[in-house]
Amino acid sequence: MESKYSAVRDIILRNIPDVGNYPTTIKGVRIVRRNNPTEFMRCFYNPTCILVLQGVKHMLYGNENIVYTKGQYVVSCTDIPVSSRVAEASEDKPFVVLILELDSNIISNLILETKLPQAVDNKEKALAIADTDAELLDSFYRLAQLIEKPEAEQNIMSPIIIKEIYYRLLTGPLGSQLRLINTKGTRSNQIAQAISLIKEHYSEKLNMDEVALSVNMAPSSFYRNFKKVTQVSPLQYQKQLKLYEAQRLMLSGNYDAATAGYKVGYESPTQFSREYKKMFGNPPKTNVKNLIAV
């Protein structure tokens, strides 16, 4: 397995001109390189599988401290807020990961197609980590090889390999979480539907009891299970979505702090600045300036 890790890492390094987070010509596949450790940053993990090829990353997910390194993979089953930092990286041994975005429709159809057993409804956390086995690594190796192939070959082969990766994930140690999130009628799937609704209307004033009823859950059950999946309450989730989107708008260069705050639903610039500082550690202008400098 060691030689295959090195082969995937080398493909990525050949195709990344510098540090950064880069899309590839394969839909849903990104590659990341960092040459230095970083400070903790708040962000949202989208539904993804992250294969670590070199270096170490440290993540805070609710009250959990998670450290993952070469030989492991991370699955985020839905959109969840975390704080993370690169813990080990250097010019000679950069932090390198391959990221595959997860398509819930394909995964749901694959669950039905393969008639996998019903997942036990006791692993509801949306983010987890496991050791990579030889079969999963081999699938990722063949996916990485496609990065350097002609686009016509990518278009034919990538859906086949990605479906195989989904199957390996569903039947692996983290398969229970993926099946719960992507199987209609489970509590986790209802929470995933609620997350989609909150994301769609994040800038509006939402009545979370009504959100609960819209996904056929009693409010008490909704609040309890929402926190199990995301590690935050529904209102905290919406607030973090607002602030993260405001940060993105300011980083784009087209919005100042006050305009970004109004855009994401804040009526008071003072309240926006106060909550932004509480989440990101600095007022909006300072935080964005620091991020641009990095």
Side-chain angles (χ1 to χ4, degrees), residues 115-127:
K115 299 179 181 178
L116 290 168
Q118 176 69 45
V120 179
D121 219 3
N122 63 359
K123 293 185 177 180
E124 295 171 310
K125 291 180 180 178
L127 186 143

PDB file of all heavy atoms in Angstrom, residues 115-127:
ATOM      1  N   LYS A 115     -29.051  -3.436  -2.380  1.00  0.00           N
ATOM      2  CA  LYS A 115     -29.842  -4.030  -1.294  1.00  0.00           C
ATOM      3  C   LYS A 115     -28.994  -4.238  -0.040  1.00  0.00           C
ATOM      4  O   LYS A 115     -29.028  -5.303   0.592  1.00  0.00           O
ATOM      5  CB  LYS A 115     -30.480  -5.339  -1.746  1.00  0.00           C
ATOM      6  CG  LYS A 115     -31.439  -5.169  -2.918  1.00  0.00           C
ATOM      7  CD  LYS A 115     -32.049  -6.482  -3.370  1.00  0.00           C
ATOM      8  CE  LYS A 115     -32.987  -6.271  -4.546  1.00  0.00           C
ATOM      9  NZ  LYS A 115     -33.568  -7.542  -5.045  1.00  0.00           N
ATOM     10  N   LEU A 116     -28.240  -3.189   0.295  1.00  0.00           N
ATOM     11  CA  LEU A 116     -27.418  -3.264   1.504  1.00  0.00           C
ATOM     12  C   LEU A 116     -28.323  -3.335   2.734  1.00  0.00           C
ATOM     13  O   LEU A 116     -29.433  -2.788   2.729  1.00  0.00           O
ATOM     14  CB  LEU A 116     -26.502  -2.042   1.590  1.00  0.00           C
ATOM     15  CG  LEU A 116     -25.376  -2.001   0.548  1.00  0.00           C
ATOM     16  CD1 LEU A 116     -24.721  -0.626   0.523  1.00  0.00           C
ATOM     17  CD2 LEU A 116     -24.340  -3.072   0.860  1.00  0.00           C
ATOM     18  N   PRO A 117     -27.879  -3.962   3.800  1.00  0.00           N
ATOM     19  CA  PRO A 117     -28.728  -4.084   4.997  1.00  0.00           C
ATOM     20  C   PRO A 117     -29.037  -2.730   5.607  1.00  0.00           C
ATOM     21  O   PRO A 117     -28.255  -1.782   5.479  1.00  0.00           O
ATOM     22  CB  PRO A 117     -27.871  -4.933   5.947  1.00  0.00           C
ATOM     23  CG  PRO A 117     -26.469  -4.781   5.461  1.00  0.00           C
ATOM     24  CD  PRO A 117     -26.568  -4.621   3.971  1.00  0.00           C
ATOM     25  N   GLN A 118     -30.171  -2.662   6.254  1.00  0.00           N
ATOM     26  CA  GLN A 118     -30.580  -1.430   6.921  1.00  0.00           C
ATOM     27  C   GLN A 118     -29.549  -1.037   7.969  1.00  0.00           C
ATOM     28  O   GLN A 118     -29.146  -1.859   8.800  1.00  0.00           O
ATOM     29  CB  GLN A 118     -31.948  -1.620   7.605  1.00  0.00           C
ATOM     30  CG  GLN A 118     -32.429  -0.429   8.409  1.00  0.00           C
ATOM     31  CD  GLN A 118     -32.791   0.741   7.520  1.00  0.00           C
ATOM     32  OE1 GLN A 118     -33.451   0.572   6.514  1.00  0.00           O
ATOM     33  NE2 GLN A 118     -32.354   1.932   7.892  1.00  0.00           N
ATOM     34  N   ALA A 119     -29.093   0.212   7.908  1.00  0.00           N
ATOM     35  CA  ALA A 119     -28.120   0.685   8.883  1.00  0.00           C
ATOM     36  C   ALA A 119     -28.749   0.790  10.266  1.00  0.00           C
ATOM     37  O   ALA A 119     -29.930   1.119  10.410  1.00  0.00           O
ATOM     38  CB  ALA A 119     -27.574   2.047   8.462  1.00  0.00           C
ATOM     39  N   VAL A 120     -27.966   0.500  11.282  1.00  0.00           N
ATOM     40  CA  VAL A 120     -28.423   0.643  12.662  1.00  0.00           C
ATOM     41  C   VAL A 120     -28.457   2.123  13.013  1.00  0.00           C
ATOM     42  O   VAL A 120     -27.486   2.846  12.795  1.00  0.00           O
ATOM     43  CB  VAL A 120     -27.495  -0.118  13.626  1.00  0.00           C
ATOM     44  CG1 VAL A 120     -27.966   0.051  15.064  1.00  0.00           C
ATOM     45  CG2 VAL A 120     -27.446  -1.589  13.255  1.00  0.00           C
ATOM     46  N   ASP A 121     -29.600   2.564  13.547  1.00  0.00           N
ATOM     47  CA  ASP A 121     -29.813   3.998  13.760  1.00  0.00           C
ATOM     48  C   ASP A 121     -29.147   4.485  15.045  1.00  0.00           C
ATOM     49  O   ASP A 121     -29.766   5.127  15.886  1.00  0.00           O
ATOM     50  CB  ASP A 121     -31.317   4.284  13.826  1.00  0.00           C
ATOM     51  CG  ASP A 121     -31.684   5.575  13.121  1.00  0.00           C
ATOM     52  OD1 ASP A 121     -30.789   6.211  12.550  1.00  0.00           O
ATOM     53  OD2 ASP A 121     -32.863   5.950  13.156  1.00  0.00           O
ATOM     54  N   ASN A 122     -27.869   4.185  15.227  1.00  0.00           N
ATOM     55  CA  ASN A 122     -27.179   4.655  16.431  1.00  0.00           C
ATOM     56  C   ASN A 122     -25.839   5.325  16.103  1.00  0.00           C
ATOM     57  O   ASN A 122     -25.061   5.617  16.989  1.00  0.00           O
ATOM     58  CB  ASN A 122     -26.955   3.500  17.415  1.00  0.00           C
ATOM     59  CG  ASN A 122     -26.056   2.415  16.831  1.00  0.00           C
ATOM     60  OD1 ASN A 122     -25.610   2.511  15.700  1.00  0.00           O
ATOM     61  ND2 ASN A 122     -25.809   1.382  17.622  1.00  0.00           N
ATOM     62  N   LYS A 123     -25.602   5.545  14.806  1.00  0.00           N
ATOM     63  CA  LYS A 123     -24.370   6.224  14.376  1.00  0.00           C
ATOM     64  C   LYS A 123     -24.768   7.432  13.549  1.00  0.00           C
ATOM     65  O   LYS A 123     -24.598   7.471  12.343  1.00  0.00           O
ATOM     66  CB  LYS A 123     -23.483   5.272  13.567  1.00  0.00           C
ATOM     67  CG  LYS A 123     -22.913   4.118  14.381  1.00  0.00           C
ATOM     68  CD  LYS A 123     -21.940   3.299  13.537  1.00  0.00           C
ATOM     69  CE  LYS A 123     -21.307   2.193  14.368  1.00  0.00           C
ATOM     70  NZ  LYS A 123     -20.359   1.376  13.580  1.00  0.00           N
ATOM     71  N   GLU A 124     -25.309   8.429  14.230  1.00  0.00           N
ATOM     72  CA  GLU A 124     -25.944   9.531  13.507  1.00  0.00           C
ATOM     73  C   GLU A 124     -25.018  10.714  13.254  1.00  0.00           C
ATOM     74  O   GLU A 124     -25.404  11.658  12.586  1.00  0.00           O
ATOM     75  CB  GLU A 124     -27.189   9.991  14.277  1.00  0.00           C
ATOM     76  CG  GLU A 124     -28.260   8.906  14.318  1.00  0.00           C
ATOM     77  CD  GLU A 124     -29.394   9.242  15.255  1.00  0.00           C
ATOM     78  OE1 GLU A 124     -29.107   9.607  16.407  1.00  0.00           O
ATOM     79  OE2 GLU A 124     -30.535   9.125  14.842  1.00  0.00           O
ATOM     80  N   LYS A 125     -23.802  10.684  13.782  1.00  0.00           N
ATOM     81  CA  LYS A 125     -22.888  11.790  13.525  1.00  0.00           C
ATOM     82  C   LYS A 125     -22.542  11.834  12.050  1.00  0.00           C
ATOM     83  O   LYS A 125     -22.294  10.802  11.424  1.00  0.00           O
ATOM     84  CB  LYS A 125     -21.625  11.644  14.386  1.00  0.00           C
ATOM     85  CG  LYS A 125     -21.900  11.863  15.860  1.00  0.00           C
ATOM     86  CD  LYS A 125     -20.641  11.705  16.687  1.00  0.00           C
ATOM     87  CE  LYS A 125     -20.957  11.923  18.164  1.00  0.00           C
ATOM     88  NZ  LYS A 125     -19.766  11.721  19.009  1.00  0.00           N
ATOM     89  N   ALA A 126     -22.504  13.037  11.519  1.00  0.00           N
ATOM     90  CA  ALA A 126     -22.345  13.190  10.076  1.00  0.00           C
ATOM     91  C   ALA A 126     -20.900  13.181   9.633  1.00  0.00           C
ATOM     92  O   ALA A 126     -20.625  13.231   8.438  1.00  0.00           O
ATOM     93  CB  ALA A 126     -23.014  14.483   9.617  1.00  0.00           C
ATOM     94  N   LEU A 127     -19.970  13.130  10.563  1.00  0.00           N
ATOM     95  CA  LEU A 127     -18.551  13.143  10.188  1.00  0.00           C
ATOM     96  C   LEU A 127     -17.817  12.080  10.982  1.00  0.00           C
ATOM     97  O   LEU A 127     -17.997  11.953  12.187  1.00  0.00           O
ATOM     98  CB  LEU A 127     -17.941  14.520  10.442  1.00  0.00           C
ATOM     99  CG  LEU A 127     -16.506  14.709   9.957  1.00  0.00           C
ATOM    100  CD1 LEU A 127     -16.301  16.123   9.412  1.00  0.00           C
ATOM    101  CD2 LEU A 127     -15.508  14.464  11.080  1.00  0.00           C
TER     102      LEU A 127
END
